Amino acid sequence: MSTATKEPGLWNAIRELPSNVWSSAFRNPLPSTDLERASTSFTNFFLHIHPVKVNRHTLRPAYTLGLGLISTFLFVILVVTGVLLMFYYVPSTTQAYDRMLDLRGTVAFGIFLRNMHRWSAHGMVAMVFLHMCRVFLTGAYKKPREFNWVIGVGLFLVTLFLSFTGYLLPWDQLAFWAITVGTSIAGYAPLIGKQIQFVLLGDTSVGQEALLRFYVLHVAVLPAVLVLLMGVHFWRIRKDGGLSRPEPPAKTPEAGIVTMKKVYGMQGFVRGPFTKLGNTPDDSVFSWPNLLMAELFVLVLTVSVILVLSLAFNAPLEQPVNVMHPPNPAKAPWYFLGLQEMVSYSAFWGGVGVPGILVALLLLAPYLDRKPGGVGRWFARERLLANTLFLTLVVLNLIFVVIGTFFRGPNWTFVSPF
Amino acid sequence: MTAVNSENANLPRRRLLAWLSSVGLAGSAVLAVLSDLIFFKPRVTYGQPALFQIGKPEEFPPGTRIAREAERICIVREGNKIAAISTTCTHLGCSVAISDTGFACPCHGSRYDQDGAVTGGPAPKPLPWFKVSLAPNGEIEVDKNAPVDPGTYLIV
Ligand code: HEM
Ligand code: FES
């Protein structure tokens, strides 16, 4: 029992309480040596997503443009503001629109939250798309990163579907008709199109059932899928040997490319180029503080831009749903206007055929283009053909988006915006 | 590697177990997906019913051409003939409006003539006609589940 002669008394326990609580939560002081910097990735739950060291190339803003990070942080903003909005929103055809008005009129900061949610959602679609362009144009989808590209295509599609399901929730004219048109496109899929449409809507036309289904997809199912895919995405970045970078210039023999015969603990499982072993000269820096600071900077930048946008511009809200009178013209959200423009020529090709082929091409890209060269640089000369093809498709789609957005008036007739 | 006898003796049994559990897992995955599909396809719907009555023939005098917006049909009466034409655009489901020449869709500009045949725009099919009958209580009954050939009228 009384073995401890110097057992701390109650008074001491109280006196040392704050520092003891603190040091039990944060086991290590802020790092001041390389060993301590390295161990941040091991000891801190939130930091252990980082490798101990990252290649300098990874940190160059001009390489990644921070686009993947920005997408991640926009998603965080969307989750936080979305959960707050859920406290006041009701997914009912009789109440949803009134709740939108309440967010404007009575809920404290309601309009601000709605603005943040809306602008982050638009931003995320744009940033994820640009991130995909950056990965393609730097050849970063090549071996061993093929599968992470495939995960990425999944992330892109889920992001689009998330924003599509969210579009219906305000239950205003814009929402109702955009979803009517959008789900009818699904009806053009061969054989099972009508079934898909019926299951998606829970009825033959957009109504209470569709609102409820879209709500559940929007606030529970799709975010969960996105989080899961993001987890795999980040994990694969680490396991694929960090971010893509150019082949290092041939080193002198003593610098030593490490062979897999000599395995240093867990590093034996890491594929791809090792960052550093022993005293070989290398080009990497500690994640703490280099990577962490870069991430914090992007976070602050993202949040600031969204805050400023949300102060300056209000998210639109049209008239409440009027099943009898579609607005003229009825337009989908801007990122689907390219599709809608194509749909106005042929519903099957614009809505199902062309998008299906494009998604298949995206998924297959890393397996079709397997030449190893040109990874880690923008617009590498070796990749001229692939990059040109990709950019052509991107520009074509953008042209359709611009036509659909600015050049289409009542009855979808051609109008000049000038 | 030296093989331990007792381990080897266990191998067939372990293989059988592994095989059985794989089949079990795969089987339940298939069943789960199938039952989810069935679950998500509603057996009842709560929206606009497909079979409904719209009123007595006298309420639609000859020459009538009115859109019933909630039910998304247009009631046409010519002389003693009555018909119901869908006002859901066959392109992507917007409500078409009655125009001078027939019907016009505001969404992507499809146009139809008086009988619902396509005269322009991306609509792939004519507007369907629905079965119209006289219910025992004397009201006109429309069945949106029963499309009929264009030009099929109820004589009253
Ligand atoms: C929700 C959407 C997404 C998020 C949050 C996300 C996040 C990230 C992050 C944080 C990185 C680290 C590097 C960087 O910032 O560029 C990254 C890299 C990567 N992403 Fe994504 N991403 C998303 C969608 C996509 C898409 C649509 C693709 C392609 C179809 C993709 C393919 C890749 C690949 C291949 C890498 C490795 C790049 C390299 O090694 O240089 N990701 N992603
Ligand atoms: S929905 Fe009528 S023209 Fe497209």
Side-chain angles (χ1 to χ4, degrees):
Chain A
M1 281 269 120
S2 59
T3 45
T5 44
K6 281 185 277 179
E7 184 179 305
L10 181 60
W11 170 243
N12 271 343
I14 293 174
R15 198 163 51 89
E16 289 167 7
L17 188 69
S19 68
N20 282 339
V21 169
W22 179 268
S23 61
S24 67
F26 303 98
R27 284 164 299 187
N28 304 295
L30 283 183
S32 53
T33 66
D34 278 356
L35 182 65
E36 284 166 356
R37 279 183 202 107
S39 70
T40 51
S41 304
F42 289 105
T43 53
N44 185 305
F45 176 78
F46 297 101
L47 295 181
H48 94 274
I49 193 172
H50 293 148
V52 171
K53 296 189 95 182
V54 287
N55 194 286
R56 273 218 169 79
H57 182 77
T58 299
L59 294 175
R60 280 176 35 202
Y63 183 61
T64 62
L65 302 178
L67 291 167
L69 266 185
I70 296 177
S71 314
T72 313
F73 293 141
L74 285 174
F75 180 65
V76 174
I77 298 178
L78 282 165
V79 170
V80 173
T81 53
V83 168
L84 291 175
L85 288 172
M86 279 175 75
F87 279 92
Y88 282 101
Y89 178 78
V90 184
S92 130
T93 52
T94 51
Q95 287 200 48
Y97 188 80
D98 290 342
R99 295 305 178 120
M100 290 296 126
L101 296 180
D102 285 351
L103 283 174
R104 279 191 171 173
T106 63
V107 177
F109 308 112
I111 195 167
F112 191 60
L113 278 176
R114 188 165 169 250
N115 293 349
M116 283 183 75
H117 199 74
R118 177 66 70 102
W119 302 138
S120 306
H122 282 307
M124 185 165 164
V125 172
M127 292 301 132
V128 170
F129 180 71
L130 290 177
H131 169 63
M132 183 170 80
C133 294
R134 150 357 232 167
V135 170
F136 194 94
L137 297 173
T138 55
Y141 57 86
K142 300 215 169 170
K143 199 171 164 67
R145 300 185 175 78
E146 305 100 317
F147 189 66
N148 216 12
W149 167 270
V150 173
I151 300 271
V153 176
L155 281 166
F156 180 51
L157 296 180
V158 175
T159 305
L160 286 182
F161 201 35
L162 255 174
S163 90
F164 182 64
T165 49
Y167 214 75
L168 182 62
L169 303 186
W171 204 249
D172 62 351
Q173 278 286 73
L174 198 65
F176 183 85
W177 294 103
I179 303 302
T180 297
V181 167
T183 49
S184 302
I185 291 178
Y188 275 88
L191 300 178
I192 48 166
K194 284 279 172 251
Q195 303 273 345
I196 298 179
Q197 186 184 357
F198 184 62
V199 167
L200 210 55
L201 295 180
D203 205 340
T204 45
S205 59
V206 181
Q208 176 60 58
E209 298 311 293
L211 181 56
L212 187 57
R213 283 178 180 223
F214 275 46
Y215 176 72
V216 174
L217 287 173
H218 186 76
V219 305
V221 180
L222 295 174
V225 173
L226 200 71
V227 167
L228 188 75
L229 286 178
M230 274 167 74
V232 180
H233 197 59
F234 298 157
W235 166 264
R236 282 300 294 243
I237 293 176
R238 294 271 310 265
K239 298 301 147 181
D240 292 340
L243 289 199
S244 53
R245 52 188 173 274
E247 289 284 306
K251 290 244 174 83
T252 48
E254 66 268 25
I257 299 297
V258 182
T259 60
M260 292 301 286
K261 271 187 227 128
K262 200 165 186 186
V263 162
Y264 296 82
M266 295 292 281
Q267 280 183 321
F269 295 114
V270 181
R271 271 166 298 164
F274 285 98
T275 318
K276 176 190 158 96
L277 278 178
N279 275 331
T280 50
D282 76 318
D283 204 17
S284 62
V285 293
F286 280 106
S287 296
W288 178 295
N290 302 286
L291 177 57
L292 195 67
M293 281 306 153
E295 288 172 351
L296 283 180
F297 177 75
V298 175
L299 173 63
V300 171
L301 194 73
T302 311
V303 174
S304 323
V305 170
I306 292 298
L307 287 181
V308 169
L309 282 178
S310 306
L311 282 172
F313 304 101
N314 280 339
L317 184 67
E318 310 249 317
Q319 296 298 307
V321 166
N322 182 341
V323 184
M324 296 101 197
H325 295 290
N328 194 350
K331 290 196 179 185
W334 60 271
Y335 35 84
F336 286 134
L337 276 184
L339 282 186
Q340 194 177 347
E341 173 65 18
M342 288 193 266
V343 158
S344 73
Y345 308 127
S346 153
F348 174 76
W349 283 107
V352 183
V354 173
I357 292 172
L358 287 183
V359 169
L361 276 181
L362 279 180
L363 286 171
L364 290 177
Y367 304 99
L368 296 178
D369 168 27
R370 299 173 61 200
K371 271 186 282 159
V375 175
R377 275 173 296 135
W378 281 85
F379 304 114
R381 173 133 341 148
E382 300 94 305
R383 299 184 23 78
L384 190 64
L385 178 66
N387 285 343
T388 313
L389 281 177
F390 182 78
L391 279 178
T392 311
L393 291 179
V394 167
V395 169
L396 273 180
N397 189 34
L398 286 183
I399 290 178
F400 278 122
V401 169
V402 168
I403 295 179
T405 311
F406 298 110
F407 291 87
R408 289 300 182 180
N411 294 334
W412 211 250
T413 47
F414 202 81
V415 294
S416 165
F418 310 110
Chain B
M1 275 286 279
T2 52
V4 183
N5 271 345
S6 62
E7 287 238 325
N8 272 346
N10 277 336
L11 257 184
R13 185 167 56 185
R14 214 178 293 150
R15 265 206 208 118
L16 180 71
L17 280 179
W19 193 83
L20 280 179
S21 0
S22 319
V23 170
L25 268 179
S28 20
V30 169
L31 282 182
V33 169
L34 285 182
S35 48
D36 275 349
L37 285 181
I38 295 171
F39 169 79
F40 280 118
K41 186 169 173 184
R43 290 188 177 162
V44 288
T45 56
Y46 303 87
Q48 185 65 43
L51 182 69
F52 48 88
Q53 301 185 340
I54 54 172
K56 302 234 187 295
E58 305 86 82
E59 295 167 37
F60 304 91
T64 297
R65 234 186 134 69
I66 57 159
R68 298 191 48 107
E69 304 182 309
E71 293 101 351
R72 288 193 164 203
I73 49 167
C74 172
I75 301 298
V76 179
R77 174 155 183 188
E78 291 165 10
N80 59 351
K81 302 185 301 179
I82 293 187
I85 305 178
S86 163
T87 55
T88 300
C89 183
T90 57
H91 180 229
L92 289 174
C94 287
S95 290
V96 296
I98 294 180
S99 70
D100 297 342
T101 53
F103 304 93
C105 180
C107 289
H108 316 98
S110 287
R111 286 177 307 284
Y112 306 84
D113 68 11
Q114 303 274 3
D115 290 338
V118 182
T119 54
K125 285 182 292 193
L127 296 171
W129 290 40
F130 297 124
K131 184 174 160 223
V132 183
S133 53
L134 219 46
N137 64 359
E139 293 217 12
I140 301 172
E141 195 170 68
V142 180
D143 186 356
K144 288 182 79 175
N145 280 333
V148 294
D149 289 335
T152 314
Y153 290 91
L154 168 76
I155 312 289
V156 292

